[in-house]
Amino acid sequence: MISCLMIAACSTTRHLPEGENLYVGASVKINPDSSGKIKDEKGIKSVLEGKTRPLPNSSFLGFKYKLFFYNLGGEPGKEKGLGRWLRNKWGQPPVLGSQVKLKYNNDVLRSYLSTIGYLQAEVTGDTVVKNKKVKAIYTAQTGERYKINKVTFPKDSSGIAANINNNSSKSLLKAGNFYDFETIKNERIRIDNDLKEAGYFYFSPDFLLIQADSTIGKNSVNLFVKVKESTPDVSKKPYTINNITIYPNYNLRNDSAIKAAEPVLYKDFKIMDPKNTFKLGVFDRLVFFNKGETYNRRDHNQSLNRMVNIGTFKFVKADFIPVDSFKNNQLNIDFFLTPLKKNSLSFQVTGTSKSNNFVGSEVKITQTTRNVFRGAEQLEVSASGGFEQQIKGGQSKQGNSYSLTGQAKLSFPRFLLPFFKFNSTNAFIPRTNILASYQILSRADYSLNAIKGEFGYNWKESIFKEHTFNPISINYVKANLKDSSVLKTSPALRNSLENQYIIGLNYNFTYNNQVDDSRRNNVYFSADLETAGTVAGLLTSKNDIGKKTLFGTALSQFIRLEGDLRNYYKLNKNMTWANRLNVGYGYTYGNSTTLPFVRQFFAGGSSDIRAFGARILGPGSYISTDNTSTFRDQGADIKIMLNTELRFKIVSIFYGALFVDAGNIWTRKEDPNRPGAQFKFNSFMNEMAVGTGAGLRMDVSFFVLRLDAAFPIRKPYLPEGKRWVINDLNFGDKAWRKENLTFNLGIGYPF
């Protein structure tokens, strides 16, 4: 291996032009002759090295693979066939030492240092040649970093200057902070935003001048905020809204006819909709401007966001037109809205491969109808069917399953509340959803017919926070239990698969700031609450055996809580440390002794504890020893799971991962048929399963294909004192691999 690497390394310089050297990159030394360290020296050094040009040839683990393929193709101009293809497809010509411009890079690095406050910085560059390879070395003498001594804002007591001065308390420029050019640019943007909120529609950050006086000594600067004298007069005055015209069925082909149509006056709006496509009340919830009010950016952005997010329009455009050529300080607004097609059909095919050796496929077809009742409503009707087949050793085994599902969902872009009209005022459109579905699921040990109906609301509090509340949720599950030794010997499992009504409410809160890529640390949190049988139990009577029933079928009665907390920390631009904590708890009462099967917690699988098969881990220290049935799904009332994963870029669209998963499930009460399954505070930590492994991902932004290989290092079902199995690892043993090594193929990241 060492010989191959040495040969490959030599090949990178073999075909260089006469008198040339291969450029291998740059390094930066900061204040090497002084003992003083600067703040965030490592980060600044990394930025400086990234700003040098040219960039060296691409490499992986020090191997310049693109240059290797370039040279493998033969000499330039003489290569043919495969050689030409290697050069053009995979190769990269050598970056030569003669391409390095030291003076240019010196100026670039010195300029950057001055933007972060090192106003007296000096940078010198030199090159070092060894074995036909050249490296650039830059030495930066930073001097002291300058701080802001005082910030002065315009003193005028009227007009635009007064507005800037009145909002000076919100300034990003603070006395005592380091001088930073990025902060100065952001301060100009902040001032511009404040002015836009006050009606200064035609103002721009470029009309602001922030001057720095560094002659006051003591490594300090005074900053002066001014409006440029060259600023146009139209940008120095606030504007009010005059006419608001809406074209809800606009297209360029019929532009003249639409604009010539007779407008319908509705409140402050002129609506140009000759085909009467939308109800007039729709625009109350889309347009936040009112005639006569001062223009502000908040209403501008919220109006556009709502029009885009309502899911009815393909194109959205707003034109602001000055009245009488800027003389009246008024703006007319024209909203041009181009609807999507009323009907659309989508077809989806998915393939699945699970860690419990089930492979299968699902086909789904969805019909979407928009603007159903002329109020921007949306109706989705879908039908799907899928199957799973268990494969072991290349042969089909028992355990086949199939499912058929039909679903209809009607969504209203507003809150539907009896006796109360509620209008949200943020940029996100609240929705009222009505859902109905029917599913048939057949497996080797049982079959389920499930009818579901829900009525509820979904709304966003902000870009990060989302709520879903379904005050009415009705599920009817009819189970057909087949002949199975597992079901016969497990009353708890049989009870969870009884015919039952699940009537109650559910609520979900989600916080997710991953949309903000500028953060180094991102957080995702989801909390679920579901109750069943509480209100319905008060309205129904007991049967002969003391159970609350509806139409002769028992009511499920439980409270179910689940929380999912994830943290993503960017170690650098190509490496992220991801962590997850997932906990769940189910409390049953009244009719129910166990959670319904469809509401239980499970452990194991490709997005869970990956060293163990899907749904076969636990509960507690219990392990199923029944080999007569394919049914091994182990559900329970309590779950604790922790995952940690280091994700890193390998090359191009390929990423790698190293991970550790830990967790288990437990029953709330003792289960005589599953000894060791009950959760106990003094022993649950000793019953945690632990697995580890590595993964390969192909990430093309909109699609992620994932392959994980995992193996257990702690098995909770082994006798105490023998549960850690790290010493038993033996990758060379075929029997060990067959028993312990688990491969998981998935779509998307596990969390």
Side-chain angles (χ1 to χ4, degrees):
M1 184 182 295
I2 293 173
S3 299
C4 290
L5 290 174
M6 290 178 65
I7 292 171
C10 292
S11 68
T12 60
T13 59
R14 182 178 301 170
H15 301 293
L16 292 175
E18 185 67 28
E20 284 285 4
N21 298 299
L22 179 68
Y23 177 64
V24 294
S27 66
V28 175
K29 298 178 181 179
I30 298 179
N31 300 331
D33 299 330
S34 68
S35 58
K37 294 284 186 180
I38 65 173
K39 186 178 180 180
D40 191 25
E41 180 174 318
K42 185 177 180 180
I44 293 174
K45 179 180 176 181
S46 176
V47 173
L48 292 173
E49 290 176 347
K51 288 183 175 294
T52 60
R53 292 295 183 272
L55 295 176
N57 290 101
S58 302
S59 65
F60 175 63
L61 299 178
F63 174 52
K64 300 184 181 300
Y65 59 95
K66 288 190 175 183
L67 180 57
F68 173 77
F69 284 117
Y70 182 86
N71 290 332
L72 196 63
E75 295 184 22
K78 296 182 179 181
E79 75 279 5
K80 296 180 180 179
L82 179 61
R84 179 180 298 176
W85 181 83
L86 282 173
R87 277 182 175 272
N88 296 337
K89 183 67 177 179
W90 298 99
Q92 181 186 42
V95 180
L96 305 176
S98 61
Q99 297 175 251
V100 180
K101 308 299 181 185
L102 291 177
K103 185 178 183 306
Y104 169 82
N105 285 330
N106 290 343
D107 293 339
V108 169
L109 302 191
R110 182 170 58 250
S111 175
Y112 172 76
L113 288 170
S114 69
T115 65
I116 61 173
Y118 296 101
L119 302 183
Q120 302 297 327
E122 292 293 336
V123 179
T124 57
D126 202 353
T127 56
V128 176
V129 180
K130 184 177 181 180
N131 298 328
K132 299 193 73 174
K133 296 180 180 179
V134 59
K135 182 176 184 179
I137 300 175
Y138 299 91
T139 302
Q141 299 290 346
T142 62
E144 292 293 328
R145 192 174 185 181
Y146 279 63
K147 290 184 177 182
I148 298 173
N149 178 58
K150 184 174 65 173
V151 183
T152 302
F153 289 88
K155 297 300 184 182
D156 296 1
S157 59
S158 62
I160 194 170
N163 189 286
I164 295 173
N165 194 48
N166 292 337
N167 289 296
S168 62
S169 60
K170 297 187 294 183
S171 175
L172 304 177
L173 305 174
K174 306 290 185 183
N177 289 356
F178 288 117
Y179 173 90
D180 183 78
F181 187 65
E182 280 299 315
T183 305
I184 290 175
K185 290 196 296 184
N186 290 334
E187 172 68 1
R188 296 204 311 169
I189 294 172
R190 181 199 67 81
I191 294 173
D192 177 64
N193 286 335
D194 285 344
L195 292 173
K196 289 293 194 298
E197 289 300 311
Y200 292 86
F201 179 79
Y202 290 102
F203 196 80
S204 166
D206 291 335
F207 298 148
L208 288 168
L209 180 66
I210 300 181
Q211 295 177 319
D213 180 5
S214 61
T215 63
I216 61 174
K218 298 181 181 179
N219 300 314
S220 298
V221 295
N222 287 336
L223 299 180
F224 301 89
V225 181
K226 299 179 179 180
V227 178
K228 292 180 180 178
E229 294 182 0
S230 59
T231 302
D233 290 337
V234 296
S235 302
K236 295 181 181 179
K237 53 189 179 182
Y239 287 78
T240 58
I241 304 301
N242 187 38
N243 292 327
I244 303 171
T245 307
I246 303 170
Y247 299 85
N249 203 12
Y250 180 79
N251 62 75
L252 288 173
R253 184 179 300 173
N254 300 323
D255 176 81
S256 300
I258 293 172
K259 289 182 177 180
E262 187 69 23
V264 175
L265 300 180
Y266 175 73
K267 296 186 177 180
D268 288 341
F269 311 140
K270 292 181 180 179
I271 300 174
M272 311 293 284
D273 187 13
K275 294 183 179 181
N276 199 23
T277 311
F278 293 90
K279 294 178 181 178
L280 300 180
V282 171
F283 306 107
D284 268 346
R285 299 186 295 274
L286 297 182
V287 180
F288 285 80
F289 287 113
N290 293 307
K291 187 172 183 177
E293 74 174 9
T294 302
Y295 166 86
N296 66 87
R297 177 172 280 177
R298 182 175 180 271
D299 287 349
H300 185 169
N301 290 338
Q302 286 186 343
S303 298
L304 293 179
N305 285 337
R306 285 216 160 190
M307 292 172 182
V308 170
N309 293 329
I310 200 170
T312 301
F313 301 110
K314 184 178 182 179
F315 299 112
V316 172
K317 180 185 177 183
D319 279 352
F320 291 82
I321 307 162
V323 178
D324 293 336
S325 300
F326 304 102
K327 293 179 181 179
N328 295 332
N329 297 354
Q330 290 182 322
L331 296 170
N332 289 332
I333 311 176
D334 290 343
F335 288 104
F336 297 98
L337 312 176
T338 303
L340 290 161
K341 291 183 178 180
K342 186 175 182 66
N343 294 287
S344 63
L345 193 68
S346 63
F347 181 75
Q348 180 180 347
V349 179
T350 58
T352 59
S353 176
K354 297 183 178 179
S355 58
N356 54 351
N357 299 307
F358 274 91
V359 296
S361 180
E362 182 182 63
V363 177
K364 184 176 182 180
I365 186 169
T366 303
Q367 160 70 31
T368 301
T369 303
R370 300 177 181 85
N371 200 31
V372 180
F373 306 119
R374 297 176 42 243
E377 303 86 0
Q378 187 165 295
L379 174 65
E380 290 184 354
V381 179
S382 65
S384 62
F387 74 92
E388 286 185 342
Q389 170 75 48
Q390 191 178 41
I391 303 293
K392 278 193 176 182
Q395 296 183 355
S396 173
K397 301 290 183 181
Q398 294 296 320
N400 303 343
S401 69
Y402 70 86
S403 65
L404 298 171
T405 304
Q407 179 175 291
K409 180 181 177 182
L410 180 60
S411 178
F412 298 84
R414 59 189 180 277
F415 285 117
L416 292 181
L417 294 168
F419 314 113
F420 184 70
K421 184 177 181 180
F422 181 83
N423 290 324
S424 63
T425 57
N426 64 18
F428 305 99
I429 295 177
R431 294 191 177 274
T432 300
N433 299 313
I434 301 174
L435 180 144
S437 69
Y438 180 77
Q439 182 183 36
I440 300 173
L441 173 65
S442 177
R443 294 195 62 173
D445 302 282
Y446 67 93
S447 64
L448 294 177
N449 288 33
I451 302 173
K452 181 179 182 180
E454 273 188 347
F455 174 87
Y457 310 98
N458 173 263
W459 72 98
K460 275 194 170 186
E461 181 182 340
S462 68
I463 193 173
F464 300 144
K465 300 177 184 178
E466 184 173 359
H467 304 261
T468 300
F469 176 51
N470 295 307
I472 301 175
S473 178
I474 302 174
N475 288 255
Y476 173 68
V477 181
K478 180 177 175 59
N480 176 25
L481 305 181
K482 302 176 182 178
D483 185 21
S484 169
S485 61
V486 175
L487 296 177
K488 290 178 180 178
T489 58
S490 179
L493 181 56
R494 178 175 288 276
N495 291 338
S496 71
L497 286 168
E498 286 181 340
N499 296 346
Q500 54 201 294
Y501 277 104
I502 305 172
I503 302 176
L505 60 83
N506 56 74
Y507 169 75
N508 169 265
F509 168 76
T510 301
Y511 176 86
N512 184 7
N513 64 15
Q514 294 182 80
V515 294
D516 187 355
D517 284 336
S518 64
R519 293 172 180 260
R520 189 168 187 178
N521 191 64
N522 293 103
V523 174
Y524 170 92
F525 174 69
S526 177
D528 290 280
L529 165 67
E530 182 178 9
T531 68
T534 305
V535 176
L538 297 175
L539 302 177
T540 56
S541 58
K542 295 182 179 181
N543 63 9
D544 295 339
I545 59 174
K547 284 197 171 186
K548 298 282 182 101
T549 61
L550 181 65
F551 305 121
T553 300
L555 289 174
S556 288
Q557 294 183 297
F558 63 86
I559 299 173
R560 187 182 187 276
L561 300 166
E562 185 173 9
D564 189 349
L565 176 64
R566 308 174 189 181
N567 183 275
Y568 306 89
Y569 185 77
K570 299 173 186 174
L571 299 173
N572 56 48
K573 66 178 182 179
N574 291 322
M575 187 176 293
T576 300
W577 185 23
N579 296 277
R580 173 172 63 174
L581 169 63
N582 179 217
V583 294
Y585 181 81
Y587 176 81
T588 58
Y589 63 96
N591 281 358
S592 302
T593 56
T594 62
L595 287 174
F597 185 75
V598 292
R599 297 293 192 272
Q600 289 185 346
F601 298 103
F602 299 91
S606 63
S607 296
D608 201 274
I609 304 170
R610 285 161 279 186
F612 298 86
R615 296 189 166 200
I616 67 172
L617 178 61
S621 59
Y622 171 78
I623 183 172
S624 175
T625 57
D626 178 67
N627 295 317
T628 63
S629 171
T630 58
F631 189 94
R632 298 189 64 191
D633 291 9
Q634 297 297 324
D637 311 310
I638 300 170
K639 180 176 184 178
I640 300 175
M641 181 178 65
L642 302 100
N643 309 83
T644 185
E645 182 170 286
L646 185 66
R647 300 169 181 171
F648 49 90
K649 185 173 183 177
I650 299 176
V651 61
S652 184
I653 61 173
F654 294 99
Y655 292 77
L658 300 173
F659 57 83
V660 178
D661 306 320
N664 208 334
I665 56 173
W666 294 266
T667 59
R668 194 172 61 86
K669 298 178 181 179
E670 185 178 355
D671 184 349
N673 296 285
R674 295 189 289 180
Q678 186 180 13
F679 180 87
K680 296 178 180 179
F681 277 104
N682 59 354
S683 63
F684 82 93
M685 287 296 294
N686 196 35
E687 295 171 347
M688 297 281 278
V690 182
T692 187
L696 178 67
R697 290 91 164 87
M698 185 175 70
D699 187 346
V700 290
S701 298
F702 62 90
F703 177 83
V704 177
L705 184 64
R706 169 171 55 92
L707 175 64
D708 290 328
F711 54 90
I713 57 175
R714 194 172 195 280
K715 300 178 179 180
Y717 46 81
L718 294 180
E720 291 193 46
K722 298 182 179 180
R723 293 176 178 173
W724 287 104
V725 292
I726 300 176
N727 294 332
D728 298 334
L729 300 182
N730 189 355
F731 292 98
D733 183 9
K734 183 178 179 181
W736 181 91
R737 295 197 305 270
K738 183 177 180 181
E739 180 183 350
N740 295 278
L741 198 58
T742 302
F743 291 93
N744 296 282
L745 181 65
I747 296 174
Y749 287 100
F751 60 93

